[in-house]
């Protein structure tokens, strides 16, 4: 439930409210809005305690949170969350593009790609070091060596780096190198992993599972936030449908749906959503127009030779062209990049 505080609520009264919330075993979550401060009292049956708070000094009003996700909900927080990754901020009118190869393959290709996406105007570098491959015989990623190369690419280009964490056992290693942790579609409901990344101080990009509803996605975000890590970015990357023309089906309507339900930034990954490089640009533009806060795009210097996801990877020159097109669209929809 939401406890709306009186505008001039005294500190001692607020302290008493917090103590009481904690006494009932509920989580305490302050939201300092422009006009007033509210306290989220978070727990599955929080609203049952309503009567204990209504007449306390400093309390203006009590409002239930109707959605099963609480901390991620717009009901709790009207204002959009800003998520900072390195020196980049997601969730503002400034549109952010995360770009880079599916996986870190070697030093030369990573540094080349990093420089080219940086020159084209990307804000973050992506690259997998631990890869969730369907086949155990496919390239699994370079592991720690890949993380070191990402860190070197960051040092050279200044781009913060994001990479996927697949296993709780790797978290300690990843946080030493990455600026943002990625939880992939296949792990969106790995609840132990979500709780563990929720205990780190790194921002997290949480990708929608291929058969997950928007509500499932927001419940997974709730897992992370409930551990204390509010720095969560959501990513729509397509869902499985009967359609076979594309790798997945991009659920573009998820963008405005998420924006209406949640204060968290949302980005779109048109690469994994379509599986086809020729569809990446049109879907990227549509995502910007639909209100996304950014994109995640796979770029490879030589897609035909890529060890992973070549068919959906843009060549650097095509990526540059796309960035130029996005800049024009951004202007038309009140954004910039
Ligand atoms: C990725 O971004 O490298 C990836 C594996 O994506 P997803 O989890 O969306 O399939
Ligand atoms: Mn990929």
């Amino acid at each position: 439930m939401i406890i709306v505080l009186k505008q001039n609520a005294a500190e001692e009264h607020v302290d008493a409210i917090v103590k009481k919330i904690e006494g009932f075993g509920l989580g305490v979550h302050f939201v300092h809005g422009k006009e007033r401060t509210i306290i989220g009292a978070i727990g599955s049956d929080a609203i049952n305690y309503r009567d204990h708070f209504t007449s306390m000094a400093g309390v203006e009003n009590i409002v239930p949170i109707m959605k099963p996700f609480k901390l991620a909900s717009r009901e709790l927080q009207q204002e959009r969350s800003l998520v900072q990754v390195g020196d980049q901020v997601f969730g503002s009118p400034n549109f952010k593009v995360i770009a880079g190869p599916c996986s870190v393959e070697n030093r030369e290709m990573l540094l080349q790609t990093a420089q080219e996406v940086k020159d084209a105007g990307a804000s973050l570098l992506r690259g997998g070091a631990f890869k969730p491959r369907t086949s155990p015989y496919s390239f699994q990623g370079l592991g720690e060596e890949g993380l070191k190369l990402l860190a070197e690419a960051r040092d050279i280009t200044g781009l913060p780096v994001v990479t996927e964490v697949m296993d709780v056992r790797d978290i300690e290693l990843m946080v030493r190198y990455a600026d943002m942790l990625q939880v992939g579609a296949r792990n969106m409901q790995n609840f132990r992993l979500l709780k563990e990344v929720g205990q780190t101080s790194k921002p997290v990009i949480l990708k929608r599972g291929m058969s997950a509803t928007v509500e499932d996605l927001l419940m997974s975000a709730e897992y992370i936030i409930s551990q204390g890590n509010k720095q969560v970015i959501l990513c729509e990357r397509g869902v499985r449908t009967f359609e076979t023309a594309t790798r997945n089906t991009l659920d573009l309507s998820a963008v405005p749906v998420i924006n209406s339900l949640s204060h968290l930034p949302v980005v779109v990954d048109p690469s994994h959503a379509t599986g086809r490089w020729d569809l990446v640009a049109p879907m990227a533009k549509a995502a910007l127009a639909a209100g996304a806060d950014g994109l995640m795009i796979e770029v490879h210097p030589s897609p035909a030779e890529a060890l992973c996801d070549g068919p959906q990877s843009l060549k650097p020159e095509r990526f540059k062209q796309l960035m130029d097109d996005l800049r024009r669209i951004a202007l038309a929809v009140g954004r910039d990049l």
Side-chain angles (χ1 to χ4, degrees):
M1 69 186 143
I2 295 167
I3 300 174
V4 183
L5 298 180
K6 289 207 163 102
Q7 231 151 22
N8 52 356
E11 209 178 304
E12 63 196 277
H13 295 151
V14 176
D15 288 347
I17 295 165
V18 167
K19 269 219 184 73
K20 193 169 247 186
I21 297 172
E22 287 171 344
F24 289 129
L26 303 173
V28 178
H29 185 95
F30 276 88
V31 180
H32 301 280
K34 276 200 191 95
E35 270 148 40
R36 56 194 182 176
T37 296
I38 65 172
I39 306 178
I42 306 298
S44 60
D45 57 353
I47 195 62
N48 296 343
Y49 300 102
R50 175 185 199 139
D51 293 347
H52 296 269
F53 295 91
T54 37
S55 53
M56 282 186 86
V59 173
E60 168 90 40
N61 193 12
I62 310 250
V63 187
I65 302 176
M66 304 309 285
K67 294 284 188 301
F69 45 89
K70 312 289 180 190
L71 300 171
S73 80
R74 276 256 184 196
E75 290 173 86
L76 178 68
Q77 184 182 317
Q78 274 296 315
E79 282 161 42
R80 313 269 345 256
S81 277
L82 299 176
V83 175
Q84 180 153 356
V85 188
D87 58 353
Q88 301 294 322
V89 177
F90 287 75
S92 81
N94 189 245
F95 191 75
K96 297 291 175 194
V97 179
I98 306 166
C102 180
S103 51
V104 179
E105 297 174 4
N106 58 61
R107 182 169 184 271
E108 192 194 347
M109 69 78 75
L110 184 70
L111 297 187
Q112 183 190 338
T113 313
Q115 197 57 56
E116 286 184 291
V117 300
K118 156 97 184 182
D119 293 345
S123 304
L124 256 81
L125 175 67
R126 62 149 287 147
F130 295 86
K131 293 303 302 177
R133 304 306 299 278
T134 302
S135 166
Y137 309 117
S138 301
F139 176 59
Q140 303 285 305
L142 296 180
E144 184 170 6
E145 179 57 25
L147 298 177
K148 286 183 179 158
L149 293 174
L150 283 167
E152 187 182 353
R154 171 186 48 221
D155 291 345
I156 294 171
T157 61
L159 292 176
V161 298
V162 54
T163 192
E164 178 167 353
V165 55
M166 292 209 299
D167 194 302
V168 287
R169 291 169 294 186
D170 299 328
I171 291 179
E172 213 183 298
L173 178 69
M174 319 283 298
V175 298
R176 276 193 259 139
Y177 296 99
D179 298 289
M180 175 157 69
L181 302 175
Q182 175 172 324
V183 174
R186 289 156 193 80
N187 266 319
M188 190 205 82
Q189 288 186 313
N190 180 339
F191 300 115
R192 282 285 303 276
L193 182 62
L194 299 176
K195 282 187 180 175
E196 292 289 332
V197 298
Q199 284 169 19
T200 72
S201 56
K202 294 285 177 183
V204 179
I205 182 164
L206 176 65
K207 299 188 85 174
R208 180 180 181 178
M210 55 191 83
S211 59
T213 64
V214 166
E215 186 169 300
D216 293 335
L217 174 63
L218 291 168
M219 290 308 290
S220 289
E222 189 81 10
Y223 261 92
I224 300 171
I225 305 172
S226 65
Q227 296 298 309
N229 187 349
K230 300 176 194 171
Q231 299 282 98
V232 178
I233 297 170
L234 304 169
C235 179
E236 161 60 39
R237 48 76 73 204
V239 291
R240 280 233 167 123
T241 68
F242 54 82
E243 180 56 71
T244 54
T246 48
R247 183 176 177 183
N248 293 288
T249 297
L250 177 59
D251 179 9
L252 205 51
S253 61
V255 173
V257 168
I258 290 169
N259 278 338
S260 70
L261 293 174
S262 178
H263 50 84
L264 298 172
V266 53
V267 306
V268 168
D269 171 352
S271 307
H272 292 90
T274 64
R276 288 171 44 176
W277 71 265
D278 60 317
L279 302 181
V280 168
M283 292 303 96
K285 294 173 197 171
L288 166 54
D293 294 299
L295 294 164
M296 174 177 270
I297 295 180
E298 287 187 339
V299 178
H300 194 288
S302 177
E305 285 151 282
L307 296 179
C308 183
D309 288 349
Q312 67 194 33
S313 297
L314 292 186
K315 291 179 179 162
E317 58 268 28
R318 287 214 164 88
F319 176 69
K320 185 178 181 318
Q321 179 63 54
L322 171 58
M323 291 296 287
D324 293 342
D325 293 346
L326 288 171
R327 250 173 233 115
R328 283 195 292 276
I329 294 170
L331 276 182
V333 295
R335 311 290 291 262
D336 64 84
L337 86 157

